[in-house]
Amino acid sequence: MKPTAEEKKEYVLRLKKSLYGLKQSPRCWNKKFAEELKKLGFEADVNDPCLFWIRNGKFQGFLIIYVDDMIFAGNDLKILNRYIKKLKRIFKMKDMGEPTKFLGLNVKRDRKNRILTLDQSDYCQEILKRFNMQDCNSTQIPMCPKSKKPEKVPEKKKRKKYNKKERRRMNRLNQTKFDGAPFPYREAIGSLLYLGNATRPDIMFAINWLSRKQCNPTQADWQAVKQIFRYLKGTTRLGLKYTGTQKGIVGHSDASFGDCDDTKKSTAGVLVRLNGDLVTWSSKRQGTVANSTCEAEYVAINSCLLESVGVNETVRRATGKRLDPILIYGDNTASLKCTNKPGSPKLKHLTEIKVYTILDYVIKNKVKLEWVESAEQDADILTKALPREAFQKLRDRLLSVV
């Protein structure tokens, strides 16, 4: 007999395999993929579940997977093709050859000069078109530096009268609504975040600053977002260049003290280079309120140290070699002095873990801290909106036309 509708309500069904679209499906797929790779001799990275590597004699291979897209690279083409054939026996997959595009990133290789470049020029054009900014005029900076607050004026002078033509133009700009706002603010921030996190550290501070306004964006905030789009209009061909001409891990850390108007928290900027090439960067509002510039800079150094150590550990697990000591540059003399002695009264508000983490690495000679003047601090571009000349100088150190 078939169960009735009432009886069906009491049934609990158990899936024999994951279904596409369910919450646990990505985890099940990654678990299955990792198990099969382990049988072939691959190891999974502890910090990144999408990174795998294999060392077999002189052969070193690295595999990156994102859902069902993957890149597999190695130092021996014959052995590489051998592993690809083994993967094809396990999974239904297609070999697309040397990658030229991956997850919106354009990949270019100059084998003769040993140069690899990454850019998102196509993605820039796509988001400009999505937000109707493809015909906008370009600007030279993504965000204007903070200026002095204007003096208070009578209310009648604040208002601006618009003629019929201007009112119609403003209505057209505000015709699209998104989450109760008259403009697609969150959608724009999300699109820019993907770009900034992948290949464009030059816009990270502007995105970080404007993402704090997502709950209640104003028309001025939306105009600031549109300035980022105008900046991208003229810099679509900027990207990352990898040459591997240097050795070691070098980090830069900086902080802008108490710049958040709502919380009085500081903004920390961190970037890390591996063998001379930029591999990771961030611009974030710190989790606690710093009581001094020294304290804010010290917390930024701690963040840079942890990020650099993570890169070093990944290199060690993948290649079997460490790149000690790590070199970290800071531009605040007081915070650098505090890293060499315990019990500094300037850091009494910090937790002991952050204080002694840096001290431990410095004492063991795993990390070296050096002072650099503010004009040469590369992480400065991640902590504040800079004037045009200073911004372009630091940007050119991080990015190049590809």
Side-chain angles (χ1 to χ4, degrees):
M1 292 179 63
K2 292 184 177 180
T4 63
E6 293 296 328
E7 291 175 336
K8 287 183 178 180
K9 292 181 180 179
E10 300 178 359
Y11 285 5
V12 177
L13 302 179
R14 179 181 179 183
L15 290 175
K16 292 185 178 180
K17 59 185 295 185
S18 62
L19 297 178
Y20 183 82
L22 294 179
K23 188 176 181 179
Q24 289 294 322
S25 298
R27 180 178 178 274
C28 295
W29 161 240
N30 185 269
K31 183 180 179 181
K32 171 67 176 177
F33 189 77
E35 289 175 352
E36 295 298 334
L37 285 187
K38 189 176 181 180
K39 295 177 183 178
L40 298 178
F42 285 81
E43 295 183 38
D45 187 74
V46 177
N47 300 321
D48 190 345
C50 299
L51 172 63
F52 303 85
W53 63 78
I54 184 171
R55 293 203 306 267
N56 187 357
K58 294 183 179 181
F59 176 74
Q60 289 186 348
F62 301 89
L63 190 149
I64 300 173
I65 184 171
Y66 184 86
V67 190
D68 56 351
D69 296 320
M70 67 181 75
I71 289 182
F72 189 17
N75 58 356
D76 191 313
L77 185 59
K78 291 183 179 180
I79 300 178
L80 189 71
N81 290 328
R82 196 181 306 162
Y83 279 105
I84 291 176
K85 290 180 180 179
K86 292 180 181 180
L87 288 171
K88 286 182 177 180
R89 297 192 194 104
I90 303 172
F91 304 104
K92 187 178 179 181
M93 55 187 291
K94 184 178 180 181
D95 186 1
M96 306 291 291
E98 186 170 335
T100 57
K101 197 165 187 177
F102 185 70
L103 303 178
L105 278 72
N106 298 320
V107 183
K108 300 176 184 177
R109 298 186 68 184
D110 184 351
R111 291 182 177 274
K112 182 179 179 181
N113 297 314
R114 298 178 63 85
I115 297 175
L116 173 69
T117 59
L118 300 176
D119 73 272
Q120 290 175 283
S121 57
D122 296 339
Y123 180 77
C124 286
Q125 298 291 348
E126 178 186 330
I127 61 176
L128 285 172
K129 186 176 181 180
R130 185 190 310 170
F131 297 100
N132 299 320
M133 297 291 291
Q134 68 272 21
D135 297 324
C136 66
N137 295 322
S138 61
T139 60
Q140 296 182 327
I141 53 175
M143 193 175 196
C144 294
K146 279 189 175 182
S147 58
K148 294 182 179 180
K149 294 183 179 179
E151 297 180 358
K152 291 185 177 181
V153 296
E155 187 66 25
K156 62 180 181 180
K157 292 185 179 180
K158 286 186 177 180
R159 295 184 178 180
K160 181 180 179 181
K161 293 182 178 181
Y162 297 97
N163 56 36
K164 291 182 179 180
K165 185 177 180 180
E166 290 175 331
R167 283 199 297 268
R168 285 197 298 268
R169 183 180 64 84
M170 293 183 68
N171 289 334
R172 286 197 301 270
L173 290 173
N174 298 339
Q175 62 184 355
T176 303
K177 290 194 174 183
F178 185 83
D179 285 354
F183 32 75
Y185 192 85
R186 292 187 181 182
E187 183 181 351
I189 291 294
S191 300
L192 292 171
L193 271 173
Y194 181 72
L195 177 64
N197 286 324
T199 60
R200 297 296 297 269
D202 53 329
I203 62 173
M204 279 306 298
F205 172 76
I207 301 171
N208 170 266
W209 184 267
L210 294 172
S211 65
R212 306 173 190 179
K213 314 292 183 65
Q214 293 187 70
C215 294
N216 189 24
T218 64
Q219 185 70 34
D221 296 329
W222 177 240
Q223 293 300 323
V225 170
K226 290 171 69 175
Q227 180 172 343
I228 301 178
F229 284 124
R230 288 196 293 270
Y231 170 73
L232 294 176
K233 171 73 175 181
T235 59
T236 55
R237 296 185 60 230
L238 286 180
L240 299 170
K241 181 182 289 187
Y242 295 91
T243 59
T245 54
Q246 302 177 20
K247 292 284 182 74
I249 298 175
V250 178
H252 286 77
S253 72
D254 195 19
S256 185
F257 174 60
D259 61 343
C260 182
D261 297 330
D262 298 327
T263 64
K264 300 305 176 185
K265 294 179 180 178
S266 306
T267 299
V270 169
L271 61 86
V272 179
R273 287 186 173 92
L274 173 62
N275 294 333
D277 302 319
L278 194 62
V279 293
T280 181
W281 58 87
S282 68
S283 175
K284 293 182 179 180
R285 183 172 59 185
Q286 293 180 347
T288 57
V289 179
N291 291 276
S292 63
T293 303
C294 173
E295 189 173 317
E297 295 277 359
Y298 196 92
V299 174
I301 292 174
N302 181 75
S303 300
C304 185
L305 182 145
L306 296 178
E307 197 70 36
S308 303
V309 169
V311 172
N312 199 12
E313 286 301 308
T314 298
V315 172
R316 180 191 63 81
R317 289 191 294 266
T319 64
K321 299 178 182 179
R322 296 179 63 91
L323 298 177
D324 293 337
I326 299 169
L327 181 60
I328 296 178
Y329 288 105
D331 60 0
N332 183 266
T333 306
S335 62
L336 293 175
K337 288 181 178 179
C338 292
T339 60
N340 296 317
K341 57 180 180 179
S344 174
K346 296 181 180 180
L347 304 177
K348 60 185 178 182
H349 304 288
L350 291 179
T351 61
E352 291 186 356
I353 293 178
K354 288 184 178 180
V355 175
Y356 283 94
T357 297
I358 297 178
L359 289 173
D360 184 59
Y361 277 97
V362 171
I363 291 172
K364 293 180 179 178
N365 201 32
K366 293 183 178 180
V367 171
K368 287 186 177 180
L369 298 161
E370 291 190 8
W371 177 83
V372 63
E373 59 183 67
S374 298
E376 303 298 323
Q377 173 58 274
D378 291 352
D380 198 35
I381 198 173
L382 300 170
T383 61
K384 61 179 73 70
L386 298 171
R388 180 177 58 85
E389 292 183 1
F391 173 82
Q392 292 180 350
K393 177 183 177 182
L394 295 179
R395 182 196 65 188
D396 294 343
R397 292 184 185 177
L398 305 179
L399 303 172
S400 59
V401 178
V402 295

